[in-house]
Amino acid sequence: MKNLSVRLLLGLAVLYTSVGSAQQYDKVVSGGQSLANKVCVTCHGAEGKGNPIVGAPRLAGIESWYLRNQLHGFRADYRGREKDYIPAYEMQDSVARMSDQEIEDVVAYISTWEATENTPTISGNANRGSQLYLACAACHGVNAEGNETLAAPGLTEKDDWYLLRQLKLFQSGYRGGHPEDQLGSQMRAGMASIESAQDIEDVLAYINSL
């Protein structure tokens, strides 16, 4: 009887903990929804589908850990320093006054958005791109699935027009040049084998084929 009582108490403790965690998560998501509606949806869309006209990529389906890293980067002022890149300046301004908890709330809410199928916009030689992509696979994965341990995001659910812009920024040094942006610095180094605009388009064509 004593053992049964102990098991019952343990079971109730787990239940209350689970309920408490679920309620806390719902509260975080609710807070994130309110903030995202004020800050994010104007450019990125109500369901995070993105808007190429204003240079806002899709957020639906983005890895939470990667989004968190980028928001912290914008707030710390080492993302958004790209020359003449207005969307990056706007992102800096949007995130500048967000607290750590607000970032967590927004990330939690955005994680509830359903990923949508990518619509390719880049034309290139996917066969040639597959060879160039070998240099990328070490971090981003053989199938561009990403690697959280290396802080390398997946690439197959990202807008190719946005990836094109970012790769060019890494290539030029406008992104990844800040001393605090260690991951950006690694990307700049990784761009050594992708030299021309055609190289970039071929790599993106290959990623679109995965």
Side-chain angles (χ1 to χ4, degrees):
M1 178 63 104
K2 182 179 179 181
N3 290 337
L4 178 61
S5 299
V6 171
R7 288 198 298 270
L8 179 59
L9 288 173
L10 288 174
L12 288 173
V14 171
L15 175 61
Y16 286 133
T17 300
S18 299
V19 171
S21 297
Q23 290 176 340
Q24 183 179 11
Y25 178 75
D26 289 342
K27 183 179 180 181
V28 168
V29 169
S30 178
Q33 180 177 11
S34 176
L35 188 57
N37 286 338
K38 294 178 183 178
V39 178
C40 311
V41 301
T42 301
C43 295
H44 294 279
E47 297 178 352
K49 294 182 179 179
N51 186 345
I53 295 176
V54 297
R58 285 185 305 157
L59 298 179
I62 192 172
E63 300 93 331
S64 293
W65 55 266
Y66 180 71
L67 177 59
R68 181 183 299 108
N69 288 345
Q70 299 313 301
L71 291 178
H72 279 287
F74 280 115
R75 192 181 64 177
D77 196 34
Y78 62 77
R79 278 240 33 204
R81 287 174 165 264
E82 296 88 341
K83 183 180 179 182
D84 298 328
Y85 191 30
I86 294 176
Y89 302 152
E90 293 174 340
M91 274 298 302
Q92 270 196 347
D93 185 62
S94 297
V95 180
R97 290 171 292 279
M98 288 175 65
S99 67
D100 287 348
Q101 185 59 57
E102 287 175 328
I103 288 178
E104 290 301 319
D105 292 352
V106 167
V107 169
Y109 174 60
I110 290 176
S111 72
T112 68
W113 288 344
E114 185 177 353
T116 56
E117 185 176 352
N118 184 35
T119 302
T121 65
I122 303 295
S123 298
N125 186 330
N127 289 330
R128 181 171 179 271
S130 67
Q131 298 302 309
L132 292 169
Y133 180 78
L134 293 175
C136 313
C139 293
H140 292 279
V142 175
N143 296 309
E145 70 275 15
N147 187 327
E148 182 176 358
T149 302
L150 299 176
L155 303 176
T156 56
E157 294 183 350
K158 307 298 188 295
D159 295 302
D160 58 6
W161 58 265
Y162 179 74
L163 293 178
L164 175 67
R165 174 72 190 194
Q166 299 311 304
L167 291 177
K168 287 183 176 180
L169 288 170
F170 280 121
Q171 193 175 56
S172 66
Y174 289 132
R175 180 175 174 184
H178 194 280
E180 294 182 29
D181 191 2
Q182 296 179 358
L183 297 175
S185 178
Q186 292 175 16
M187 266 299 301
R188 286 187 63 192
M191 290 294 295
S193 61
I194 303 177
E195 300 177 350
S196 67
Q198 188 61 56
D199 288 346
I200 293 176
E201 292 183 6
D202 289 347
V203 166
L204 293 177
Y206 173 67
I207 291 172
N208 282 335
S209 74
L210 294 174

